[in-house]
Amino acid sequence: MKFAALRAVLGLVQVSAHWHWIAWRGSEKLGSPGPGWLKLDTAPKFRNLSWEVEGIPNAYRYYHPNATSYTLGSPANGRKTIELWQPFEEDSYDGAVGANLRAALQILYGDDLERYFVNLTSTDWETVGSYPICQAKQPCPNVVLLGTTQVASRVSAERALPLNDYFQEFLETHLARFQDDFPSISSYQYQFKGDWIAAPFITDTRLLGFNRTTLEAMGLDLPPPHNQNRSTELEWTWSRLAEIACQISRSYGDGKGIVMTSDWDEDFKLFMSMVHSAGGALYKKSPESRTCDLNTGADAVEDFWKPIFQNNCVSGGDGGSYWSGVSPPSEAFNRTLRGTPSEADLMSLSKYVTTAQDLDTIGFFLSTGVNEDTSLKACKTTSRNNSGSDSSVVAGCATIVFDRRGGRSLSSCKQLMHDVLADTVAHDGEGTCAVLSCKSIWQLERSQSLRSLKHLQFYSELCSDILYADFPGFFSFLGGAGLMVPKPVSSSCTDVEECSRREEGWRIIEELRNSSSPWMLQANTMKAARLPPPLPLTLIKDFPASVLSALERAIPPQYPNNPRPEMDRIEREKPMRLALVRAIYGNASTEEALGEASEIVNDILSPCNASDWLSDPSCAYAPDGLQGCPEGHFFELQDLDMVCQPCPVGKFDPSRSVTRACKNCSRGTYSSVRGSTECTACGPGMIASEEGQRYCSYCPVGSVPKAGAECYDCPADFYEDAGSCLPCSPGFQSGTRSSTRAACSRKPEVGFLILGLIAEVTTLVLVLPILFRRSVPIADMHVDCERVVLKTWARHRVSRWSPLPVKVYLRDTGDTRLDNPKVPFRVRVRHAEELWLLDESNNHISIDFNTSMGSLQLSMASTFFGASTHFLPIGLQVILLLVAIVWTAITLASWHEATEELLGVLVIGLSGSPLAAIMYACTWRSRFQSTPIARRLTHFREKLRDQNPAPTSCERGPARAVSAAQISDLLCYFEDFIRQRNMYYVGSNILLPLTRPERLSYAELAGPHSVQWFVSHFWGMAFKDFVASLRHLADDIGNLDRKNVTFWVCSLSNNQWKVQSELGEGDPLKSSFYLALQSPSCKGTAMVLDASAEPLTRSWCLFEVFQTCLITSSGSREDFSGLLLCTPQGVLQHGGASLDAVMGVAEQLSKISLQDATATRLKDKEMIDSCVLALPGGFRSVNVFVRDCIKEALETVHQSFEGDYTNLVQALDRALPSVPVSPVLLGQACGPPVTKRRSTPSSLELPMPKRGSTPFFSDAV
């Protein structure tokens, strides 16, 4: 007893000397622990500290309900003040937070109160989040404990110190990262742009609890995760929760279904959890704006909020209405329904009542944590029915502690359970205590039956009627509070005192987060509604699985967007509360109410409106809370946030504003620091010669200050004489600050001007030919995407930006439609060497013009305004050159003293201009001889000259045939030019230029042969397909000598320079066509058909078919094979063509009408028509005759197909084995017979040019 008394006295002395906390209410002293102080309900569960003395109150386990601050020590001079702000109330509900903060501060500073004075301020949430700190005449605490949504406001106000350096120091000291013990979500809540701003200390989430006895009595499934052993799976949604809550209310009374509280912003937190679960967010961000869209929460309003309120299924924590002022309706409530509430009106609807969490809870409830009074209950000794349990669970609970020594009370036993993170205790009422960890009710019942524990009373969370369910919709709310070190706007230590304040702040954070200290654990788990501390979930053990699940799936209201400082304003203005009240009680639809709330959030999140910056809250400067940027700053928008940047050196801004740029310091003034509000005038003898100077400078030697803002020197080309600046003679120069006339020397510009005059005259001589319509050679003209493209063999010099339409004249293209000297075409630039051909209306021409020769000339006006070199119009160049020549000549004349010695150079240079013009003309003329097709024609003529050294004229008709090899050589040599072009192109661009020197036919030039086959064809067919058709015929009839098969082709066999003679001077029966066809050596006619059988619509072709049929029907020539129909795929009669080609011929056959046939030249058609009319029966007889003749040819094709088919069937019959085959299997294996045709080489079929293309000469020739 003496020793115990001595210990008590010593402890009392120690407490009075070291742990003497004093409570204050403002400036009123409330005293140290004793009268007026209350003991925390959870104090017995706190860890015992070494300095505590039993029976003596202390600030660790006691609190004063009226205290606003607590101090330790006295604020004597020379002592450092340690200050910590925390927002949790001093009451039985949250008092554990302040108690543990006081204990931690005692541990840190209680033994050194000669150096420190400690002040713990228990304030409110608004103060820790928005009260001015760390600025003039305002406090700057070492640490502030503030909510997660408030951290962004402090960061925006530049009042939060980044902790990265301290984290790195911790890593280097402990070889472990300080943030490794943070929950994963902490990087979102407390990290901004890579900087850690705070360390988590308090966890805040919402739990959904329920009375399982009620649900089981009503036969309702328990919600997840407690329904995992049920036979049916429960779809757990907000709609389902509302349905069950309303069933409970109908059975037990209004408001009994679910109990919730609406204090501050609980409705907002709950609603945002529903929005997140629906895949939505508070706002969506784009580069231009932040847009709120709460429509994803519309289903939650319809399925949860409306049903539980309109059916009286919900009540507040006091058993009354959820919101205050609902019944009877207050004026604030009525204004809210009308959509015109003030911020105070919406605030007044909050009901600050802790949610009921006792044994009388009937249905569901929303809780801020787990209440031990409802979760740790005495267990009945009788076993529950475990028919639904897992039969594999047969072992009992794990025994953590079994103390048989006695003397331990039930509360001490429960405290031991909390210390070791277990969930069950067993006590006999006499001091025996067992602490167990049970995973299920079945394990607990097994342990109750053990002999060693059978006489003990069990207390377990598993025996409680109150359980916690998973949040519907997956996501729950997550908030919390973190420890932040404030700072002034300057981010660096300005003095030793400031550095020390920051170091002490970090020291406090490190102690409060120390895993070996109980402060953080007890501050979270020893509140009335306890939650796990902010640690990784893998380190949390003593909580139901549903609680851990809620934490795992909890996210902040503005997630996934970055934390915003505007969240504090959103929480104050409560747009979601307005929407819910109007949607539930008012006449607004859900969509309208949510739309109104979205508009409010949009207004809060909108960037600063510079035109209304004095009243727009978004234009407030966070560090001082005033509108606009402070003096010496300019305004910027960075990521939609207003950022005030200090004025650069040389600039200033004298007033608050949102200007985008600071003003330049005027001449004669300067600014050498950033953020200046005014500029400083330069000192005597110094100048600032330009605006925006960062410093002043002295005038150099020999210079005179002028007007105090600049130094005046004698300029270049002047020299000083008797205090004045005199000019040098014309053509002479001097440097600045020259002192004598001898400093003047001849200007280099004199020589440059002489050279310039020579270059200007020479350039003018070279440009004038372009102005006077210089011809440009044409390399190619073709249709591309239904537009005629003209490609030149030199830069055409047409400008893209001509003010007038550019007109050109075409010459020597070989197409009479193009070579019209009186009708110009308009053009538009496609490329430096390509033009689009346009009509008079500036529309693209789509006619199939094809040529690879000729030239174009621009009209004079088009050259003047529309041609350019080096991006300058020719006319402008000529004008500029003339002006330059005149100006240069006048200048040189005025500088006659300086130019006398260089006149010889000028004369020699100007005499070279005509020579340059002659050389340029010769070079340009050679362009026409070097176009791609001109070079190719020269090479091909040389090749023909080697094969036929002395080409001579021969009789027209059958003696002018060409071989298959000669035709193939022509195509092969010019294939890259011909491409898919027709005979019109070949004749005008290849055949005529080849035969021009000798004025012979191509057959005579290449070496003529006697005709074997007369060829009838349409010139509009692609020449490549034409040659392919003749190759197939040569392959079929030529055997081994197919290259020497000869053809009489009008374009190759007729002399294109004597067309009228070749046509028989108007008599078809004297034409070269007729003579060749009637020749005894002619074995037949090969009609070359395209896909549409176009030759059957042409007068000359039908005339030739008619003559062929006459020879065939006469029977006078036994070796005459008649008419063969040839296609690019093969000869129809030989089975070498496709069925489509045969059908095309048949279709045209049904429409053959010689009187309706066409010819390129009207005279040719009239000549043939007159010849036909002279025959007996006229057109009718000839049409029938020709139709029958071609029909016989088609019949031959049909027989050929039939023969091929018969041979194929016979071959198949011979190949089949003589083994009986099951009819069923044979039917499955074989399909219908397939006719095998002779394979033909594939060819690329391109769209054919249109009929009616303008010819260079008759398609008959």
Side-chain angles (χ1 to χ4, degrees):
M1 291 294 292
K2 294 180 180 181
F3 287 109
L6 180 61
R7 283 198 303 269
V9 171
L10 291 176
L12 182 60
V13 172
Q14 186 182 37
V15 169
S16 62
H18 299 286
W19 311 117
H20 188 57
W21 282 94
I22 299 176
W24 300 80
R25 181 173 60 190
S27 59
E28 178 187 358
K29 185 175 181 180
L30 301 178
S32 57
W37 288 60
L38 301 178
K39 188 175 183 179
L40 285 165
D41 294 340
T42 55
K45 304 175 187 177
F46 286 1
R47 181 188 298 181
N48 294 323
L49 303 180
S50 60
W51 53 265
E52 289 188 278
V53 178
E54 189 174 353
I56 300 179
N58 58 57
Y60 175 42
R61 301 180 187 271
Y62 288 77
Y63 69 95
H64 199 292
N66 298 321
T68 58
S69 64
Y70 297 86
T71 60
L72 183 64
S74 59
N77 290 334
R79 292 178 180 173
K80 293 182 182 179
T81 297
I82 304 299
E83 190 170 3
L84 187 153
W85 290 8
Q86 70 92 13
F88 290 90
E89 295 186 10
E90 292 293 331
D91 56 19
S92 61
Y93 194 79
D94 287 331
V97 178
N100 280 276
L101 292 176
R102 291 190 292 273
L105 292 173
Q106 288 174 350
I107 293 296
L108 288 174
Y109 302 106
D111 290 333
D112 203 3
L113 293 180
E114 294 298 323
R115 296 176 55 211
Y116 296 100
F117 167 69
V118 182
N119 180 18
L120 173 64
T121 299
S122 296
T123 180
D124 53 44
W125 290 101
E126 184 175 1
T127 299
V128 298
S130 58
Y131 188 83
I133 56 174
C134 298
Q135 57 193 63
K137 299 180 180 180
Q138 298 295 342
C140 192
N142 300 80
V143 175
V144 174
L145 178 63
L146 73 172
T148 56
T149 59
Q150 299 173 315
V151 177
S153 299
R154 292 301 189 186
V155 173
S156 175
E158 302 179 25
R159 292 293 186 271
L161 177 69
L163 302 177
N164 295 32
D165 291 343
Y166 295 111
F167 281 26
Q168 180 63 30
E169 181 182 339
F170 184 90
L171 173 62
E172 294 171 357
T173 303
H174 300 280
L175 299 180
R177 299 198 315 164
F178 188 71
Q179 62 270 34
D180 282 348
D181 284 342
F182 293 179
S184 59
I185 197 69
S186 297
S187 60
Y188 171 83
Q189 294 175 304
Y190 301 110
Q191 193 176 35
F192 292 78
K193 296 182 179 179
D195 292 330
W196 283 99
I197 301 301
F201 184 68
I202 297 296
T203 301
D204 183 21
T205 191
R206 295 298 173 267
L207 304 177
L208 179 63
F210 66 95
N211 191 319
R212 72 175 179 186
T213 303
T214 300
L215 269 63
E216 289 174 346
M218 296 180 65
L220 298 173
D221 286 342
L222 300 184
H226 306 287
N227 65 333
Q228 58 185 350
N229 291 324
R230 300 284 181 176
S231 59
T232 59
E233 194 67 28
L234 178 66
E235 184 181 0
W236 190 230
T237 62
W238 289 108
S239 175
R240 176 62 178 166
L241 174 57
E243 178 184 343
I244 296 176
C246 288
Q247 289 185 43
I248 295 172
S249 292
R250 286 193 293 270
S251 298
Y252 292 91
D254 290 346
K256 299 298 184 180
I258 182 168
V259 179
M260 304 188 300
T261 182
S262 59
D263 65 340
W264 184 243
D265 58 352
E266 289 299 305
D267 39 15
F268 167 64
K269 296 172 182 176
L270 181 59
F271 180 73
M272 285 310 303
S273 297
M274 299 174 180
V275 170
H276 284 137
S277 296
L282 180 61
Y283 66 88
K284 296 180 180 179
K285 182 180 176 183
S286 67
E288 295 79 20
S289 65
R290 303 183 189 94
T291 304
C292 178
D293 183 10
L294 300 174
N295 286 334
T296 49
D299 289 343
V301 175
E302 294 293 330
D303 298 341
F304 178 78
W305 290 92
K306 283 186 176 182
I308 65 171
F309 279 88
Q310 294 172 357
N311 296 315
N312 295 323
C313 307
V314 61
S315 65
D318 59 354
S321 62
Y322 176 67
W323 286 297
S324 180
V326 175
S327 180
S330 63
E331 284 300 318
F333 182 75
N334 289 331
R335 283 191 292 271
T336 303
L337 290 184
R338 292 193 297 269
T340 59
S342 65
E343 184 176 314
D345 289 339
L346 290 169
M347 188 75 73
S348 69
L349 300 185
S350 299
K351 180 176 287 187
Y352 295 92
V353 179
T354 303
T355 304
Q357 301 177 32
D358 53 31
L359 290 176
D360 295 331
T361 301
I362 294 175
F364 289 87
F365 61 89
L366 284 178
S367 169
T368 58
V370 178
N371 192 310
E372 182 184 337
D373 292 339
T374 61
S375 60
L376 189 66
K377 294 295 182 180
C379 300
K380 298 178 182 179
T381 56
T382 57
S383 299
R384 296 172 181 260
N385 181 8
N386 63 348
S387 59
S389 66
D390 187 349
S391 59
S392 63
V393 180
V394 294
C397 304
T399 302
I400 308 300
V401 176
F402 196 178
D403 185 1
R404 294 188 177 93
R405 294 174 299 175
R408 188 180 291 273
S409 65
L410 176 60
S411 61
S412 174
C413 188
K414 290 181 179 179
Q415 175 62 42
L416 180 60
M417 179 196 75
H418 288 294
D419 290 342
V420 298
L421 301 179
D423 55 28
T424 303
V425 297
H427 195 270
D428 64 352
E430 296 179 359
T432 301
C433 172
V435 178
L436 303 95
S437 177
C438 302
K439 299 302 182 183
S440 68
I441 191 66
W442 324 117
Q443 288 184 334
L444 176 60
E445 292 177 353
R446 177 69 175 174
S447 296
Q448 286 179 294
S449 65
L450 296 177
R451 177 177 301 175
S452 60
L453 303 175
K454 195 170 184 179
H455 63 288
L456 302 179
Q457 173 62 49
F458 282 75
Y459 301 85
S460 177
E461 295 177 355
L462 298 172
C463 297
S464 173
D465 290 329
I466 301 301
L467 297 178
Y468 293 89
D470 288 344
F471 240 61
F474 193 81
F475 289 114
S476 61
F477 160 78
L478 178 66
L483 300 163
M484 181 196 78
V485 177
K487 73 172 185 66
V489 173
S490 174
S491 60
S492 59
C493 291
T494 56
D495 52 37
V496 176
E497 183 178 352
E498 170 62 17
C499 292
S500 175
R501 186 192 64 81
R502 298 180 182 186
E503 291 290 340
E504 294 298 336
W506 170 248
R507 182 182 173 194
I508 294 171
I509 293 176
E510 197 171 10
E511 172 62 27
L512 290 174
R513 285 282 315 182
N514 189 344
S515 59
S516 63
S517 299
W519 324 126
M520 184 174 67
L521 177 67
Q522 294 178 167
N524 286 274
T525 61
M526 299 306 175
K527 294 192 299 181
R530 61 192 185 94
L531 282 174
L535 294 169
L537 293 180
T538 55
L539 302 180
I540 300 173
K541 305 297 182 183
D542 183 29
F543 279 90
S546 56
V547 176
L548 300 182
S549 175
L551 277 176
E552 183 179 13
R553 299 182 299 185
I555 55 177
Q558 53 185 323
Y559 191 84
N561 298 297
N562 292 331
R564 302 288 314 160
E566 295 88 354
M567 280 301 297
D568 182 55
R569 186 177 164 196
I570 292 174
E571 290 179 344
R572 291 197 316 270
E573 296 190 15
K574 306 191 182 309
M576 265 55 89
R577 176 172 295 178
L578 172 63
L580 291 172
V581 171
R582 282 177 49 75
I584 294 170
Y585 296 106
N587 56 1
S589 67
T590 299
E591 290 73 17
E592 292 172 344
L594 292 178
E596 293 170 359
S598 296
E599 291 179 4
I600 296 174
V601 176
N602 286 338
D603 181 63
I604 294 174
L605 295 176
S606 63
C608 172
N609 180 7
S611 62
D612 190 29
W613 66 275
L614 286 173
S615 58
D616 186 356
S618 298
C619 297
Y621 182 54
D624 60 17
L626 301 178
Q627 293 297 112
C629 291
E631 300 84 351
H633 290 72
F634 65 95
F635 165 78
E636 278 188 351
L637 271 180
Q638 294 182 3
D639 195 22
L640 301 179
D641 292 330
M642 186 181 86
V643 177
C644 295
Q645 301 283 11
C647 292
V649 291
K651 298 179 183 291
F652 76 103
D653 198 319
S655 60
R656 296 191 76 92
S657 65
V658 289
T659 56
R660 296 286 184 154
C662 297
K663 302 173 183 176
N664 285 324
C665 291
S666 60
R667 298 175 65 187
T669 64
Y670 73 99
S671 167
S672 59
V673 295
R674 301 178 70 218
S676 296
T677 59
E678 60 181 359
C679 298
T680 307
C682 291
M686 302 183 72
I687 63 165
S689 58
E690 297 180 359
E691 292 183 347
Q693 294 296 300
R694 64 179 65 184
Y695 55 83
C696 296
S697 58
Y698 288 98
C699 289
V701 177
S703 299
V704 180
K706 181 179 180 182
E710 62 180 343
C711 294
Y712 180 72
D713 299 333
C714 282
D717 302 336
F718 283 76
Y719 62 93
E720 184 185 358
D721 186 10
S724 300
C725 292
L726 302 179
C728 296
S729 299
F732 289 87
Q733 67 177 10
S734 67
T736 58
R737 299 196 302 274
S738 297
S739 58
T740 64
R741 191 176 188 278
C744 296
S745 60
R746 185 170 55 231
K747 293 182 178 180
E749 288 90 331
V750 175
F752 295 150
L753 286 175
I754 290 176
L755 295 176
L757 182 60
I758 296 172
E760 291 160 3
V761 173
T762 303
T763 303
L764 181 62
V765 171
L766 297 177
V767 169
L768 285 177
I770 302 177
L771 181 64
F772 292 103
R773 304 180 64 186
R774 179 197 66 183
S775 296
V776 180
I778 296 175
D780 193 61
M781 183 186 294
H782 60 277
V783 176
D784 186 2
C785 297
E786 299 186 358
R787 297 179 178 184
V788 175
V789 177
L790 191 156
K791 185 175 183 180
T792 59
W793 186 239
R795 298 177 68 89
H796 48 66
R797 303 298 184 187
V798 177
S799 174
R800 294 181 183 270
W801 305 280
S802 172
L804 299 176
V806 180
K807 298 180 179 181
V808 300
Y809 295 89
L810 303 179
R811 298 173 50 191
D812 302 328
T813 64
D815 192 328
T816 56
R817 298 171 298 174
L818 300 174
D819 298 337
N820 191 337
K822 296 181 180 180
V823 180
F825 290 92
R826 295 189 179 188
V827 294
R828 185 180 300 156
V829 177
R830 186 190 190 194
H831 187 264
E833 296 180 359
E834 291 184 358
L835 298 168
W836 275 307
L837 210 60
L838 311 176
D839 59 19
E840 285 297 321
S841 301
N842 279 336
N843 296 321
H844 284 276
I845 296 175
S846 59
I847 299 174
D848 190 13
F849 290 138
N850 278 281
T851 184
S852 299
M853 63 183 189
S855 63
L856 67 85
Q857 284 183 331
L858 274 69
S859 65
M860 181 69 76
S862 296
T863 303
F864 194 86
F865 294 103
S868 65
T869 59
H870 307 293
F871 303 102
L872 286 177
I874 297 297
L876 180 60
Q877 290 187 42
V878 172
I879 293 173
L880 292 176
L881 286 170
L882 290 174
V883 171
I885 291 171
V886 172
W887 177 83
T888 306
I890 293 173
T891 303
L892 289 175
S894 65
W895 293 356
H896 58 89
E897 293 183 14
T899 58
E900 289 177 353
E901 298 179 1
L902 300 176
L903 286 178
V905 176
L906 177 62
V907 172
I908 295 173
L910 292 178
S911 63
S913 299
L915 180 61
I918 294 172
M919 294 176 61
Y920 176 75
C922 294
T923 302
W924 187 257
R925 187 175 184 83
S926 66
R927 282 273 185 176
F928 286 86
Q929 301 172 357
S930 63
T931 62
I933 197 166
R935 294 199 304 269
R936 191 70 60 85
L937 288 169
T938 300
H939 298 159
F940 193 64
R941 278 186 56 81
E942 293 174 356
K943 177 181 179 182
L944 294 179
R945 181 67 68 178
D946 292 339
Q947 297 173 356
N948 188 19
T952 58
S953 176
C954 60
E955 290 295 328
R956 63 187 182 90
R960 291 187 189 169
V962 290
S963 67
Q966 290 173 324
I967 298 175
S968 296
D969 288 346
L970 180 66
L971 173 62
C972 181
Y973 211 82
F974 293 95
E975 187 169 9
D976 52 336
F977 291 95
I978 296 174
R979 300 192 288 273
Q980 288 297 321
R981 289 165 165 167
N982 54 33
M983 187 65 79
Y984 292 113
Y985 172 85
V986 174
S988 60
N989 288 267
I990 299 175
L991 298 181
L992 280 178
L994 278 175
T995 59
R996 179 177 286 112
E998 292 83 4
R999 299 276 172 158
L1000 299 175
S1001 66
Y1002 174 75
E1004 293 169 323
L1005 186 66
H1009 298 274
S1010 180
V1011 61
Q1012 294 179 357
W1013 287 88
F1014 180 87
V1015 178
S1016 177
H1017 69 104
F1018 169 49
W1019 279 42
M1021 182 179 183
F1023 185 71
K1024 184 181 292 186
D1025 293 341
F1026 170 78
V1027 175
S1029 302
L1030 295 185
R1031 284 175 176 169
H1032 283 298
L1033 177 60
D1035 288 342
D1036 289 351
I1037 65 176
N1039 298 325
L1040 298 178
D1041 197 24
R1042 58 182 178 273
K1043 292 185 178 179
N1044 293 322
V1045 176
T1046 62
F1047 300 96
W1048 193 95
V1049 182
C1050 57
S1051 56
L1052 305 177
S1053 301
N1054 283 336
N1055 189 335
Q1056 305 296 341
W1057 305 99
K1058 299 177 181 179
V1059 175
Q1060 286 302 116
S1061 174
E1062 297 289 347
L1063 294 178
E1065 302 295 340
D1067 185 357
L1069 300 181
K1070 294 181 180 179
S1071 65
S1072 299
F1073 298 83
Y1074 186 80
L1075 296 177
L1077 188 57
Q1078 295 293 332
S1079 172
S1081 63
C1082 182
K1083 298 179 180 180
T1085 297
M1087 173 171 278
V1088 180
L1089 300 172
D1090 56 7
S1092 59
E1094 193 68 22
L1096 298 180
T1097 66
R1098 309 291 291 179
S1099 295
W1100 270 110
C1101 294
L1102 290 177
F1103 179 75
E1104 292 159 359
V1105 171
F1106 173 65
Q1107 295 299 328
T1108 301
C1109 295
L1110 286 178
I1111 297 173
T1112 304
S1113 61
S1114 66
S1116 58
R1117 291 165 53 184
E1118 295 181 357
D1119 60 342
F1120 192 76
S1121 300
L1123 179 66
L1124 293 183
L1125 304 178
C1126 303
T1127 69
Q1129 291 78 33
V1131 180
L1132 264 64
Q1133 287 91 332
H1134 299 166
S1138 66
L1139 183 58
D1140 292 339
V1142 177
M1143 295 305 295
V1145 175
E1147 183 179 356
Q1148 290 292 355
L1149 177 63
S1150 64
K1151 298 184 292 186
I1152 284 179
S1153 176
L1154 189 55
Q1155 64 269 33
D1156 295 330
T1158 59
T1160 302
R1161 296 199 317 171
L1162 183 59
K1163 288 184 178 180
D1164 292 351
K1165 176 172 176 56
E1166 292 174 349
M1167 176 181 67
I1168 294 172
D1169 287 353
S1170 62
C1171 181
V1172 173
L1173 287 173
L1175 296 174
F1179 280 112
R1180 184 175 182 278
S1181 298
V1182 172
N1183 286 338
V1184 172
F1185 187 73
V1186 171
R1187 188 179 295 115
D1188 291 343
C1189 183
I1190 298 177
K1191 182 178 179 182
E1192 290 179 6
L1194 289 178
E1195 183 62 30
T1196 303
V1197 175
H1198 174 256
Q1199 294 173 2
S1200 177
F1201 282 160
E1202 289 289 344
D1204 288 347
Y1205 174 75
T1206 302
N1207 293 336
L1208 177 62
V1209 172
Q1210 292 175 356
L1212 288 174
D1213 290 341
R1214 289 193 299 270
L1216 290 176
S1218 57
V1219 178
V1221 181
S1222 171
V1224 175
L1225 294 178
L1226 185 59
Q1228 293 174 346
C1230 300
V1234 179
T1235 302
K1236 177 177 176 63
R1237 299 189 182 131
R1238 181 182 306 174
S1239 62
T1240 59
S1242 62
S1243 63
L1244 181 62
E1245 296 186 3
L1246 298 177
M1248 295 299 298
K1250 298 179 180 178
R1251 281 191 293 160
S1253 300
T1254 303
F1256 182 79
F1257 40 80
S1258 172
D1259 59 354
V1261 183

